[in-house]
């Protein structure tokens, strides 16, 4: 199709791929000696090629990880830019939902949703200010949009017919100089370049398609409180009338608003800098969890202020809260209290000091109840596993003996019984001829 990248390739009669002439000669062919004039001419040509490559890359304004084709002069002057990325996508959606857009989609056998998906991917690759320099290949756009390459071709035809996209340069194979310029730009070999597109907003579309309605953002409660505070604290220190010019000192509002807008704190916030840097490091999560569990199982130790005092007390006592949980600490304190014949007080005026005193009276280097319980569970599981192995071995041997007995019985039953002949009476003949 004329005017799009779906037509014929660049009409070059011969191949434009880089060709190395040194590979055509046979290794056995002796090289002819090079004269000084030939060497100087070769060096001059190489220098000129390097200069041309640098000039080509500089004038074509290359960017990204691929080399794009240069744009002819006065092409951008004839191509309008878009208003913005958001407005352009809204314009495309409005045009696709119009009768003209629906008819174009039907003609090119594509749905409006597929065209809009391809248009959004084009917009993501375009420059934010102008909508130009869309140099992504059809395969890349198809992969990101989740469609096929033929769908991208049909979608581009629809966008071109709607007047919101223009193909500035058609993709083709690179010439030898362009291939060397591409390798100089990104450091690897490139033989082809994709088409360069520009997303536009013509005057007719900008005037007929209304921009999307943006609902005014409701101010937050903090903003309302701040505005109320400023209105109450702003006083008029000058006796002039309130109907003076807004820049008059009698108003006070403009000067105070400017102070809030250009203050260093707000400037740092807009720049992404944090005005208040943390001065302390956060406590480990296992320490906080241990303190919370300790207070839950020993309510008498609940502090009147922040729970961080209990965390500091546990950390200063040297106990390993990874091994000792809050429940283990409360259980150990209760056991020691019962062994000493004491009772927990109903009210403790200074819980952190009381806990520090009690912690110093116990040895926390021994195994915790949780560790002892886990060790007991491991030992019990080991015994159960060993017992199950013995049962399996016994069942296997019993099954083997039963199988042997059954085989013997089957073998005996399959044998033909032998008929027993009763013994016959025989006569003994003596040497004398007499019978007994």
């Amino acid at each position: 199709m004329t005017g799009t990248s779906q037509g014929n390739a660049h009409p070059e009669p011969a191949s434009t791929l880089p060709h190395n002439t040194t590979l055509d000669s046979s290794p056995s062919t002796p090289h002819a000696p090079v004269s000084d004039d030939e060497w100087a001419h070769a060096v001059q040509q190489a220098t000129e090629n390097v200069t041309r490559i640098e000039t080509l890359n500089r004038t074509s304004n290359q960017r990204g990880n691929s080399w794009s084709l240069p744009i002819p002069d006065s092409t951008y002057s004839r191509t309008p830019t878009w208003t913005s990325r958001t407005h352009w996508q809204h314009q495309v959606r409005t045009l696709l939902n119009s009768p003209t857009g629906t008819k174009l989609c039907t003609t090119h056998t594509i749905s409006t949703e597929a065209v809009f998906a391809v248009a959004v991917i084009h917009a993501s690759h375009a420059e934010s200010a102008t909508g130009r320099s869309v140099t992504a290949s059809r395969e890349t756009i198809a992969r990101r949009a989740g469609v096929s390459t033929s769908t991208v071709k049909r979608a581009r035809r629809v966008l071109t017919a709607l007047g919101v996209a223009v193909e500035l340069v058609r993709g083709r194979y690179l010439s030898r100089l362009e291939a060397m310029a591409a390798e100089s730009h990104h450091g690897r070999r490139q033989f082809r370049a994709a088409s360069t597109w520009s997303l536009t907003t013509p005057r007719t579309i900008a005037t007929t398609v209304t921009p999307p309605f943006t609902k005014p953002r409701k101010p937050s409660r903090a903003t309302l409180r701040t505005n109320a505070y400023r209105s109450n604290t702003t006083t008029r220190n000058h006796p002039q009338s309130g109907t003076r010019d807004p820049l008059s000192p009698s108003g006070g509002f403009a000067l105070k608003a400017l102070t809030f807008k250009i203050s260093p704190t707000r400037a740092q916030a807009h720049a992404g800098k944090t005005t208040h840097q943390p001065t302390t490091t956060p406590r480990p999560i296992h320490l906080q969890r241990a303190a919370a569990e300790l207070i839950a199982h020993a309510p008498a130790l609940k502090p009147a202020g922040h729970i961080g005092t209990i965390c500091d007390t546990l950390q200063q006592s040297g106990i390993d809260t990874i091994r000792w949980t809050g429940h283990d600490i409360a259980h150990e304190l209760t056991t020691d209290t019962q062994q000493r014949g004491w009772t927990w007080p109903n009210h403790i005026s200074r819980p952190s000091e009381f806990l520090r005193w009690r912690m110093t009276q116990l040895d926390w280097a021994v195994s915790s109840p949780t560790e002892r319980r886990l060790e007991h569970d491991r030992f019990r599981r080991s015994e159960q596993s060993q017992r199950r192995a013995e049962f399996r071995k016994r069942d296997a041997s019993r099954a083997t003996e039963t199988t042997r007995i059954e085989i013997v019985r089957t073998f005996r039953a399959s044998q033909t019984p032998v008929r027993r002949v009763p013994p016959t009476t025989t006569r003994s003949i003596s040497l004398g001829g007499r019978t007994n």
Side-chain angles (χ1 to χ4, degrees):
M1 182 175 178
T2 307
T4 64
S5 62
Q6 329 313 328
N8 297 329
H10 190 266
E12 291 189 1
S15 175
T16 58
L17 295 178
H19 184 66
N20 192 354
T21 57
T22 59
L23 299 178
D24 297 338
S25 60
S26 176
S28 59
T29 303
H31 294 280
V34 180
S35 62
D36 295 340
D37 296 339
E38 293 176 351
W39 176 258
H41 180 67
V43 172
Q44 182 181 0
Q45 286 185 346
T47 306
E48 292 178 356
N49 288 336
V50 171
T51 305
R52 293 171 59 189
I53 289 172
E54 293 177 352
T55 305
L56 181 60
N57 286 339
R58 184 175 60 256
T59 56
S60 58
N61 192 19
Q62 298 295 329
R63 66 187 183 95
N65 297 326
S66 62
W67 195 86
S68 58
L69 297 172
I71 306 299
D73 298 337
S74 70
T75 303
Y76 280 139
S77 61
R78 299 190 303 267
T79 306
T81 61
W82 66 6
T83 51
S84 68
R85 180 177 285 108
T86 305
H87 289 178
W88 185 83
Q89 294 179 7
H90 173 71
Q91 293 162 4
V92 171
R93 169 57 71 183
T94 304
L95 293 175
L96 289 176
N97 292 333
S98 64
T100 304
T102 306
K103 183 178 179 181
L104 285 174
C105 293
T106 304
T107 304
H108 294 282
T109 320
I110 188 174
S111 63
T112 57
E113 296 298 331
V115 177
F116 186 71
V118 174
V120 170
I121 301 303
H122 278 76
S124 65
H125 285 281
E127 294 180 354
S128 300
T130 60
R132 300 169 177 171
S133 302
V134 181
T135 58
S137 62
R138 295 191 299 261
E139 290 75 12
T140 302
I141 295 176
R143 183 176 64 255
R144 294 193 57 185
V147 296
S148 62
T149 307
S150 60
T151 303
V152 175
K153 296 179 182 179
R154 295 193 296 270
R156 282 182 170 180
R157 293 167 187 164
V158 174
L159 296 176
T160 303
L162 291 175
V164 293
V166 177
E167 185 183 33
L168 302 179
V169 179
R170 185 178 303 173
R172 57 175 173 81
Y173 281 95
L174 302 179
S175 63
R176 183 179 303 177
L177 182 64
E178 292 172 345
M180 290 188 293
E183 188 173 358
S184 175
H185 171 63
H186 49 65
R188 63 180 185 276
R189 305 188 68 181
Q190 179 179 345
F191 300 141
R192 294 187 301 176
S195 301
T196 302
W197 287 74
S198 178
L199 309 182
T200 64
T201 302
R203 184 183 300 273
T204 55
I205 298 178
T207 55
T208 56
V209 179
T210 58
F213 174 74
T214 56
K215 184 179 180 180
R217 185 177 179 182
K218 184 180 179 180
S220 61
R221 296 179 60 184
T223 304
L224 296 176
R225 289 196 300 267
T226 303
N227 295 337
Y229 173 77
R230 292 176 182 176
S231 62
N232 294 331
T233 55
T234 301
T235 58
R236 295 181 180 269
N237 299 325
H238 301 276
Q240 288 86 352
S241 173
T243 60
R244 291 181 176 270
D245 188 80
L247 297 180
S248 175
S250 62
F253 176 77
L255 298 179
K256 188 172 289 295
L258 291 176
T259 303
F260 279 104
K261 287 182 179 179
I262 63 176
S263 62
T265 304
R266 293 179 63 86
Q268 293 179 1
H270 285 301
K273 298 180 180 179
T274 305
T275 56
H276 302 286
Q277 299 292 340
T279 57
T280 58
T281 57
R283 297 181 178 89
I285 188 64
H286 54 83
L287 178 61
Q288 302 180 33
R289 186 181 295 111
E293 291 181 358
L294 176 60
I295 294 176
H297 291 87
L301 297 176
K302 184 177 182 180
H306 197 270
I307 195 176
T309 57
I310 302 298
C311 296
D312 296 339
T313 302
L314 294 178
Q315 192 172 13
Q316 294 170 5
S317 63
I319 187 173
D320 187 4
T321 52
I322 299 178
R323 298 173 45 246
W324 288 84
T325 63
H327 179 70
D328 295 340
I329 298 174
H331 178 269
E332 198 71 14
L333 292 175
T334 303
T335 303
D336 181 71
T337 301
Q338 293 175 355
Q339 292 178 355
R340 295 175 182 269
W342 299 345
T343 56
W344 277 96
N346 296 327
H347 175 71
I348 301 176
S349 58
R350 294 184 295 177
S352 58
E353 287 76 2
F354 178 80
L355 178 62
R356 184 180 295 107
W357 170 68
R358 291 301 313 274
M359 295 286 289
T360 56
Q361 298 178 357
L362 297 176
D363 183 16
W364 304 103
V366 298
S367 300
S368 63
T370 301
E371 293 178 338
R372 292 194 294 267
R373 183 174 63 255
L374 293 177
E375 183 64 25
H376 176 70
D377 293 342
R378 284 193 295 268
F379 180 74
R380 182 166 50 85
R381 285 193 296 267
S382 176
E383 285 186 342
Q384 292 176 355
S385 177
Q386 185 178 1
R387 191 175 305 167
R388 284 193 295 267
E390 293 178 357
F391 289 162
R392 286 194 297 268
K393 184 177 180 181
R394 185 190 61 186
D395 295 341
S397 62
R398 183 177 301 174
T400 304
E401 181 68 20
T402 305
T403 305
R404 188 183 64 81
I405 296 174
E406 291 294 334
I407 291 174
V408 171
R409 290 178 178 176
T410 304
F411 176 76
R412 290 179 176 177
S414 62
Q415 297 295 325
T416 303
V418 181
R419 183 178 180 181
R420 300 179 63 87
V421 179
T424 56
T425 305
T426 57
R427 293 183 177 181
S428 303
I429 301 176
S430 61
L431 295 178
R434 296 169 24 174
T435 59
N436 295 328

